[in-house]
Amino acid sequence: MDAVAGTQPWASYKHEGEAVGVMAGLVPCPLTPFVMTFAIARGVPAAGILFAGTMMIGVAITLSAVAIFSILLRERLMWFVEGRSRLFEAITSSIEGLAGAALIALAILLR
């Protein structure tokens, strides 16, 4: 495993803490700091950085695809919603009521 990282296990890396902080802050995933800490503890910080970079690319692709689809399908969605305003009002009111009931039930169960 040392050959992969090109360093000795438990070696001290300059700016190691900053790298962990940057990777943890760039990727909105709770798994990233864990993987970075584990990789540094195992002496392969490059694997942790590679994981964080891969995760960032995946998040960027997913968010970009959602943004592109929302822009492209905006007109069709508006046409669909305009013709069925009462239906969507009923659906949104039902969802709000169910969410409120779920919160009340949870509060009663956890007290």
Side-chain angles (χ1 to χ4, degrees), residues 57-106:
I57 291 169
V59 168
I61 289 171
T62 303
L63 293 177
S64 297
V66 168
I68 289 169
F69 284 131
S70 67
I71 290 169
L72 294 176
L73 299 176
R74 177 181 54 207
E75 295 299 322
R76 285 184 176 239
L77 182 63
M78 291 303 295
W79 171 81
F80 183 75
V81 171
E82 284 175 359
R84 296 163 182 85
S85 62
R86 283 189 179 171
L87 174 66
F88 282 102
E89 285 178 22
I91 290 172
T92 55
S93 295
S94 299
I95 291 172
E96 289 173 1
L98 288 172
L103 287 174
I104 291 171
L106 186 63

Side-chain angles (χ1 to χ4, degrees), residues 4-89:
V4 174
T7 61
Q8 306 229 341
W10 308 106
S12 177
Y13 299 98
K14 188 175 182 182
H15 305 294
E16 178 179 288
E18 291 91 345
V20 172
V22 168
M23 288 297 128
L26 287 176
V27 181
C29 173
L31 182 63
T32 304
F34 173 76
V35 171
M36 282 297 297
T37 304
F38 183 75
I40 289 170
R42 299 296 297 167
V44 285
I49 291 172
L50 182 64
F51 170 80
T54 305
M55 183 73 81
M56 284 189 326
I57 291 169
V59 168
I61 289 171
T62 303
L63 293 177
S64 297
V66 168
I68 289 169
F69 284 131
S70 67
I71 290 169
L72 294 176
L73 299 176
R74 177 181 54 207
E75 295 299 322
R76 285 184 176 239
L77 182 63
M78 291 303 295
W79 171 81
F80 183 75
V81 171
E82 284 175 359
R84 296 163 182 85
S85 62
R86 283 189 179 171
L87 174 66
F88 282 102
E89 285 178 22

